[in-house]
Amino acid sequence: MNKISVIGLGYIGLPTALIFAANGVQVVGTDINVELVNLLKSGRPPFKEKGLDELFNKAIKNGIEFTTEYKRADMYIIAAPTPYIKRNKKLDPEFVLKAIKSVFNVIQNEEILIIESTISPGTIDEFVRPLVKGLKLEKGINVNLVHAPERILPGNMLYELENNSRTIGADSVEIAQIVKSVYSKFCKSEIIITDIKTAEMTKVIENTYRDINIAFANELAKICYQNNLNVYEIIRIANKHPRVNILQPGPGVGGHCISVDPWFLVGNYPDIVNVILAARKVNNEMPEFILSRISAIMKDHNIKDIKRVGLYGLTYKENVDDTRESPTLQILEKLSENLAFGIKTFDPFINHIMVEGQELDFQKFLSEIDILVVLVAHNHIKENIDKIKGKIIFDTRNVINIDGVYKL
Ligand code: SAJ
């Protein structure tokens, strides 16, 4: 396994390519996006992540190659996007299938083809195997399929790449062992070998489990609000129980994973799922709950102009610059057009205008509002408590410890 080709240099593919290269593997990183490849060639990673710059420099020093072309390798890792089709709650495997077809233009024989992209259970059987079978016949070669899903946490990706256990799903234990030995070049944790469908299922249910637990915390927040109880104190005390681990309520669930993966199970098993679907509904209704709380606070303080309300945070969670499916964007979508235009927003991680009413300067943002709604717990807001004193604050993330702050 001298050379690895990583295809798809996004949130998963890029850190994976870099960490293999930083650990002495010859890596070629391929992406169809010319601007992205040029950015990488100029030595600039496309997103912020703790430790990414150092890893990037190490990979460059070790000769990592970035290109839009597909290059021959001993192992191909596909980390192409797997978008979720809202209409039928299914996964769109097109990007992955296109990448596989392109790999077959350079593949020779017996290489290992690893899919790291999150795919719904059964995707390999339903879409990948038929495609690969045809391509193998056409070229008269064999290729070894593997599914190795990742579980790294945005905001702590590089630490988790090295320290999280991995699942290797393969058709043969021998191939799985080879892949396991390659991943152990950087993975210091347990690498579990299983079959492909089990690997597909475990990845999706891990995120589904988390979504259900967040939904429980959110529903608990609504119950506590009605009873004028402190949901955080109740969770804190309940979690003292040795077998209770309730997560934190928030303004909703964003990101391209937790808010997406459970839908694959809803789409694939509509006659079975109940809890999974109910949790999705609870989390998707949190933006409405936040809006009802904002209007109650405005009434409390006799503030009629939505322009005096500022939403802090556009990303889907703290200390990342990813806004996909963020609760704030969900809230803005639910506001009527003129209200959405009126409300102010600010996010220290977003340095370009992406919504109407967004301020790029924190002081200016604060000068224009009376009510500050904290929707994302960036370190930035915790470091600027002195600047927000005097505002009416609605802290949906329980990170502002000032008297009189509204909480969930
Ligand atoms: N959230 C809460 N309350 C909590 C925890 C999270 O409201 O107690 C919200 C966050 O604010 C965010 C959303 O949920 O909007 C998701 O955030 P997250 O940190 O739970 O998850 P992701 O999407 O950043 O990363 C998840 C992780 N999966 C699990 O923790 C089971 C990560 O390990 C996966 O690799 C990633 O999905 C993925 O790529 O699948």
Side-chain angles (χ1 to χ4, degrees):
M1 287 303 135
N2 304 318
K3 188 171 181 183
I4 292 181
S5 157
V6 178
I7 294 142
L9 300 173
Y11 289 103
I12 300 311
L14 181 63
T16 302
L18 297 178
I19 204 163
F20 268 123
N23 283 277
V25 178
Q26 193 192 348
V27 175
V28 55
T30 294
D31 199 290
I32 51 169
N33 181 330
V34 179
E35 291 74 46
L36 172 63
V37 169
N38 290 337
L39 190 72
L40 293 168
K41 279 177 169 173
S42 68
R44 281 176 296 141
F47 55 82
K48 298 184 184 89
E49 187 60 45
K50 209 168 12 182
L52 192 62
D53 292 339
E54 300 89 86
L55 191 71
F56 196 97
N57 295 334
K58 223 170 149 194
I60 296 272
K61 217 180 283 126
N62 287 0
I64 190 170
E65 182 192 348
F66 296 116
T67 172
T68 55
E69 286 161 47
Y70 282 75
K71 300 276 179 86
R72 158 102 184 75
D74 303 303
M75 185 183 276
Y76 303 87
I77 297 177
I78 295 179
T82 47
Y84 156 65
I85 309 165
K86 282 200 168 117
R87 164 177 45 80
N88 64 6
K89 298 185 182 43
K90 298 268 187 193
L91 167 134
D92 178 1
E94 274 323 298
F95 290 105
V96 168
L97 300 177
K98 252 172 81 182
I100 292 172
K101 283 179 204 147
S102 304
V103 164
F104 267 79
N105 294 331
V106 294
I107 215 163
Q108 281 180 4
N109 196 12
E110 290 303 341
E111 287 95 325
I112 295 176
L113 180 57
I114 300 173
I115 295 173
E116 277 209 10
S117 308
T118 300
I119 47 180
S120 53
T123 300
I124 298 266
D125 285 346
E126 191 181 345
F127 296 101
V128 175
R129 289 193 198 282
L131 170 67
V132 166
K133 188 164 172 245
L135 292 167
K136 285 193 319 190
L137 281 173
E138 204 181 293
K139 292 200 72 164
I141 59 162
N142 185 40
V143 73
N144 301 288
L145 278 181
V146 171
H147 178 44
E150 50 63 43
R151 46 170 65 125
I152 55 180
L153 189 71
N156 200 20
M157 285 183 170
L158 305 180
Y159 171 81
E160 294 211 345
L161 262 177
E162 289 187 338
N163 295 284
N164 285 5
S165 71
R166 297 284 308 225
T167 311
I168 305 287
D171 293 334
S172 87
V173 175
E174 186 206 345
I175 293 297
Q177 288 294 2
I178 294 170
V179 174
K180 177 172 178 174
S181 66
V182 173
Y183 274 84
S184 37
K185 286 181 187 299
F186 65 78
C187 176
K188 301 176 196 136
S189 187
E190 183 185 5
I191 298 179
I192 298 169
I193 287 174
T194 184
D195 65 274
I196 283 180
K197 196 155 185 182
T198 300
E200 289 173 324
M201 185 62 86
T202 46
K203 168 64 195 175
V204 168
I205 61 115
E206 287 164 4
N207 283 343
T208 303
Y209 160 84
R210 192 158 169 88
D211 192 50
I212 292 167
N213 280 272
I214 296 166
F216 177 66
N218 286 335
E219 193 148 274
L220 194 52
K222 289 182 171 177
I223 293 170
C224 291
Y225 175 62
Q226 202 155 69
N227 288 278
N228 202 18
L229 286 169
N230 179 336
V231 65
Y232 307 102
E233 181 63 359
I234 287 176
I235 291 172
R236 185 181 73 83
I237 298 170
N239 283 351
K240 297 291 181 197
H241 186 294
R243 287 177 300 288
V244 173
N245 177 26
I246 304 167
L247 293 174
Q248 291 298 307
V253 169
H256 187 65
C257 318
I258 304 268
S259 61
V260 171
D261 294 0
W263 286 116
F264 297 152
L265 297 176
V266 174
N268 287 352
Y269 310 104
D271 305 336
I272 300 174
V273 300
N274 275 310
V275 173
I276 296 169
L277 181 56
R280 282 281 71 233
K281 284 182 178 156
V282 168
N283 289 332
N284 277 349
E285 282 159 9
M286 284 312 280
E288 304 273 0
F289 178 65
I290 298 298
L291 282 171
S292 67
R293 293 288 307 276
I294 290 172
S295 48
I297 292 166
M298 288 174 74
K299 219 173 276 148
D300 280 354
H301 295 267
N302 198 22
I303 293 171
K304 295 188 173 36
D305 183 359
I306 194 83
K307 288 193 185 67
R308 303 305 299 170
V309 175
L311 307 182
Y312 175 93
L314 284 162
T315 60
Y316 82 91
K317 72 173 191 179
E318 65 279 6
N319 306 323
V320 298
D321 56 3
D322 185 348
T323 61
R324 289 179 292 179
E325 316 287 333
S326 90
T328 309
L329 295 180
Q330 293 176 43
I331 288 170
L332 290 173
E333 268 162 36
K334 291 186 186 306
L335 277 172
S336 61
E337 187 126 310
N338 59 320
L339 285 182
F341 284 171
I343 209 162
K344 298 280 182 301
T345 57
F346 170 82
D347 190 307
F349 275 75
I350 308 296
N351 52 19
H352 61 281
I353 297 290
M354 58 182 291
V355 287
E356 274 289 326
Q358 179 188 349
E359 282 300 342
L360 296 181
D361 177 80
F362 188 46
Q363 290 290 28
K364 187 161 183 301
F365 167 68
L366 291 176
S367 70
E368 292 168 344
I369 62 171
D370 300 321
I371 299 177
L372 173 68
V373 184
V374 178
L375 296 167
V376 180
H378 289 311
N379 293 340
H380 167 271
I381 192 75
K382 294 181 240 181
E383 291 151 8
N384 284 281
I385 296 286
D386 55 309
K387 295 197 180 82
I388 62 175
K389 281 192 175 118
K391 296 291 175 196
I392 302 159
I393 299 171
F394 176 25
D395 169 19
T396 73
R397 292 292 185 177
N398 193 30
V399 285
I400 311 293
N401 300 319
I402 304 176
D403 286 347
V405 164
Y406 290 88
K407 301 271 184 179
L408 276 184

